Amino acid sequence: MERQHRFHSRKLGESLDGVTTVRLIKGNIKTEEELKHLCDQLVDHPTIYKVDLRKNLLYPRGGTELARVLSSKTRMTEFFLYGAALGDLGVTNLMKGLKNNRTLTKLNLCHNGIGKEGAAAIAAMLKVNTTLVAIDMNNNPLGDESAEILLEALKENTTLHSLSMWNAGLTDNTAEKCVQLFQEKRAAGSTKLRRININNNPISENLLQQLAAFGKK
């Protein structure tokens, strides 16, 4: 039976032996020392598969601590960092741990203030990572330039199934490049990439419908 650990700051000394899911959300991590202690426990942990740290303000320095976990012999498959205030620097540091990670399949980076530098770091990771299947980057100020950097990386990536950039300052320019990417992937016989979500951006309905259709093919 799965054992969930609803981790609160008052329990920082509690053992994670046998735990499979850590949920530490909405401000339960209040200091750098608490985050370091948690990461010390997560490094090389043999049973934890899901870590949810959403809405903890971890800031850029948190990316370095979390990268230490991802570059260890972790078995984590799902990582939720929604609203962690990592910024470009924190995400860049985090990606260093993901380049050689071979377990993580789902990553949520929504609401982290990610711009061009962070997108470039994610793109570099996508060119070498072979296990991620879904990345959520909703509600980040990406813009078309950052989105293009990510789409270029997906030309080389062969494992990602889903990329979400909902409400990210994108226009028809990005949508057209998404359609082109799908066309190139399908022409090459690749069907792994199934979904690029760019809803809630000022994009024409026709282009959104074209993108949705690729997920059905």
Side-chain angles (χ1 to χ4, degrees):
M1 182 176 179
E2 181 180 276
R3 181 186 166 203
Q4 289 198 17
H5 186 77
R6 297 182 182 276
F7 207 86
H8 295 279
S9 55
R10 66 176 181 276
K11 297 181 180 179
L12 280 171
E14 188 174 305
S15 171
L16 295 182
D17 290 348
V19 170
T20 58
T21 300
V22 171
R23 295 189 74 241
L24 214 175
I25 62 176
K26 295 183 180 179
N28 278 302
I29 302 175
K30 296 181 173 62
T31 66
E32 290 182 36
E33 289 74 17
E34 289 177 350
L35 176 61
K36 183 180 184 303
H37 181 81
L38 173 64
C39 290
D40 286 343
Q41 291 185 286
L42 292 177
V43 165
D44 296 334
H45 199 286
T47 63
I48 292 174
Y49 293 94
K50 179 178 179 179
V51 176
D52 188 348
L53 304 183
R54 72 185 71 191
K55 294 186 178 180
N56 286 285
L57 299 179
L58 306 180
Y59 302 112
R61 287 187 297 273
T64 301
E65 284 294 332
L66 298 173
R68 185 163 60 90
V69 176
L70 292 173
S71 61
S72 72
K73 295 178 182 178
T74 178
R75 295 190 179 183
M76 192 194 316
T77 60
E78 299 181 43
F79 203 5
F80 295 86
L81 291 168
Y82 177 104
L86 293 174
D88 281 337
L89 179 57
V91 167
T92 298
N93 291 335
L94 183 69
M95 291 306 108
K96 294 175 183 177
L98 260 180
K99 282 187 175 181
N100 296 313
N101 180 280
R102 294 294 179 265
T103 61
L104 199 71
T105 59
K106 295 181 181 179
L107 177 63
N108 187 305
L109 290 172
C110 300
H111 270 297
N112 269 288
I114 301 171
K116 185 178 178 181
E117 284 185 28
I122 293 170
M125 177 275 298
L126 285 172
K127 291 179 180 180
V128 296
N129 182 279
T130 59
T131 54
L132 272 175
V133 298
I135 302 180
D136 286 343
M137 298 178 62
N138 302 332
N139 295 297
N140 282 293
L142 294 170
D144 288 332
E145 189 174 0
S146 296
E148 184 174 356
I149 293 171
L150 292 165
L151 296 176
E152 283 295 317
L154 289 184
K155 291 181 180 180
E156 298 183 36
N157 181 280
T158 59
T159 55
L160 200 74
H161 294 185
S162 173
L163 172 64
S164 188
M165 299 183 287
W166 189 85
N167 190 29
L170 310 180
T171 69
D172 281 0
N173 185 52
T174 290
E176 289 167 357
K177 285 183 168 58
C178 288
V179 170
Q180 182 180 358
L181 174 64
F182 272 116
Q183 290 171 338
E184 291 174 359
K185 288 275 191 181
R186 296 299 184 266
S190 174
T191 59
K192 285 286 183 71
L193 185 63
R194 306 292 297 175
R195 173 177 174 266
I196 300 179
N197 181 359
I198 53 174
N199 291 330
N200 205 32
N201 287 290
I203 293 170
S204 65
E205 187 62 29
N206 176 55
L207 285 168
L208 290 176
Q209 289 176 359
Q210 287 185 59
L211 282 176
F214 281 107
K216 301 174 183 177
K217 296 178 179 179

